Amino acid sequence: MGAGGPRRGEGPPDGGWGWVVLGACFVVTGFAYGFPKAVSVFFRALMRDFGAGYSDTAWVSSIMLAMLYGTGPVSSILVTRFGCRPVMLAGGLLASAGMILASFATRLLELYLTAGVLTGLGLALNFQPSLIMLGLYFERRRPLANGLAAAGSPVFLSALSPLGQQLLERFGWRGGFLLLGGLLLHCCACGAVMRPPPGPSLRPRRDSAGDRSGDAPGEAEADGAGPQLSEATPRTRPRRRLLDLAVCTDRAFAVYAVTKFLMALGLFVPAILLVNYAKDAGVPDTDAAFLLSIVGFVDIVARPACGALAGLTRLRPHVPYLFSLALLANGLTDLSSARARSYGALVAFCIAFGLSYGMVGALQFEVLMAAVGASRFPSALGLVLLLEAVAVLIGPPSAGRLVDALKNYEIIFYLAGSEVALAGVFMAVATNCCLRCAKAAPAGPGTEDRASDTEDAEAEGDSEPLPVAEEPGNLEALEVLSARGKPTEPEPEARPRLAAKSV
């Protein structure tokens, strides 16, 4: 998975039960990204029953998305404390309960608290643990697994919107919310299959006090299995960090976080404004709505294809640059299509946008996994999602206000394209600079991660720091950004001490 601690004895399975976990991650990703958008088909009925405006009603989806992104650190802490499976089970129940309670709402405020807060929190508690568990099951095929899981977003968006329309016509919005709440219980089924990967170090042991320590993220006691525990006494056993803020000092993570913030400012703006932009250009309503379907169809194909491409031996060390290329292509697509007025030009824009958008979606979490490693991925993902929530709350609303003020979509496309293109250029340049710094810096005991490993070893009773050795043929490009060394395989008598740090 990356640097950051000794590996399990057998490594990730890269198959077997991992394909079941991948299927569950596909479903969870589809619900997380597709559900907030699919709820918008009920807005007209809600506006009529509650006598509210569109902006007030749209806050239901906005709150749901804010909870999905903004509660990332909370999800990281819960996963570290309890494990992936119980967090996902609880999240599925919360998401379902939110929609069921929303079907009895009599005020918009009640919808905000139920469909917005409860359902959004439940989706967040499913989305992040599923990605963590996917990383534990796949390493060699991880880019392909991430691409296939990311394809759940366009597939479910294409399915949930017409399903919601049918439910609205047959049962009304209250009956539709009730049935969608039942549909969200599938998240509990997805959580139930998230058992930790098998391995010689995954059988939990208890000390004399019956306590556990050193569990890797997603493998806490509630999962029913976890990594082998250290034999250190309670006095020498190190405390487990629920949220590792030290990841912010990692250069690879800092580069990725800045890139993600710039990307989120403009990536979603064209898709949000596309239909209205086409209508303003004189395209009929039916044809304008079909443009989003084109984006979705291309996106469905692009995500798994890009994941398979990124998994090739020659390309995988350069995945950060492939991610930069996808961002640059997306930004240039926005810039070149700012003056597109004909329907043919808009169709060409949708094909190019869907292709680059799918590449970004397939690679974004693969780059983060490679940058920070499995042990720190839960904390890193939570912090990145929180940062992305801030950007999402700034970018699309600001674009909407500019459209209202200027009555001109062209400037919006220029701004959005410039932000995404800047993110791609920054990612490529910063990655290259960090690689040069990593090569120039002497690899020795003074590096940050080795010092951290030394402290952990001393806390567990080791007087010597962990040995560091170069691993030839490493396929993770961003590990070089952090200038980490990989620990050598520990001697058999040292395995019980180091197993607690395995992922």
Side-chain angles (χ1 to χ4, degrees), residues 66-141:
M67 294 299 295
L68 176 64
Y69 289 114
T71 56
V74 176
S75 182
S76 297
I77 292 173
L78 292 176
V79 167
T80 305
R81 177 64 181 86
F82 300 106
C84 289
R85 188 186 300 176
V87 171
M88 290 186 68
L89 290 172
L93 292 175
L94 279 177
S96 176
M99 292 304 296
I100 293 174
L101 291 175
S103 66
F104 299 98
T106 57
R107 295 181 299 169
L108 274 180
L109 178 60
E110 297 173 358
L111 279 180
Y112 296 160
L113 295 177
T114 53
V117 175
L118 278 182
T119 301
L121 178 60
L123 292 175
L125 295 181
N126 271 271
F127 176 60
Q128 188 169 333
S130 68
L131 289 178
I132 295 170
M133 191 60 71
L134 187 69
L136 294 178
Y137 269 91
F138 290 92
E139 180 172 354
R140 182 172 56 87
R141 297 173 176 170

Side-chain angles (χ1 to χ4, degrees), residues 430-443:
T431 299
N432 186 58
C433 292
C434 289
L435 280 171
R436 291 183 178 181
C437 293
K439 291 178 180 179

Side-chain angles (χ1 to χ4, degrees), residues 4 17 46 52 62 74 97 135 175 256 281 296 304 355 462 488:
W17 189 257
L46 295 175
S62 300
V74 176
Y256 181 85
L355 180 62
D462 283 333
T488 58

Side-chain angles (χ1 to χ4, degrees), residues 104-245:
F104 299 98
T106 57
R107 295 181 299 169
L108 274 180
L109 178 60
E110 297 173 358
L111 279 180
Y112 296 160
L113 295 177
T114 53
V117 175
L118 278 182
T119 301
L121 178 60
L123 292 175
L125 295 181
N126 271 271
F127 176 60
Q128 188 169 333
S130 68
L131 289 178
I132 295 170
M133 191 60 71
L134 187 69
L136 294 178
Y137 269 91
F138 290 92
E139 180 172 354
R140 182 172 56 87
R141 297 173 176 170
R142 194 178 64 206
L144 175 61
N146 276 314
L148 291 173
S153 173
V155 169
F156 269 64
L157 180 59
S158 302
L160 287 176
S161 294
L163 174 63
Q165 186 64 38
Q166 291 295 321
L167 294 177
L168 177 63
E169 293 175 359
R170 296 195 177 198
F171 306 103
W173 71 267
R174 294 186 185 275
F177 276 18
L178 186 64
L179 292 174
L180 287 177
L183 188 65
L184 285 174
L185 286 174
H186 285 83
C187 293
C188 294
C190 294
V193 305
M194 295 293 178
R195 69 187 187 197
S201 63
L202 293 180
R203 183 66 58 188
R205 296 195 314 190
R206 299 177 181 272
D207 57 19
S208 57
D211 295 330
R212 298 170 60 98
S213 68
D215 287 342
E219 297 176 347
E221 180 177 1
D223 274 332
Q228 190 175 358
L229 301 180
S230 170
E231 293 179 348
T233 62
R235 295 183 61 183
T236 61
R237 188 165 55 228
R239 290 184 178 181
R240 184 179 57 196
R241 296 176 181 177
L242 296 179
L243 185 63
D244 187 9
L245 296 178

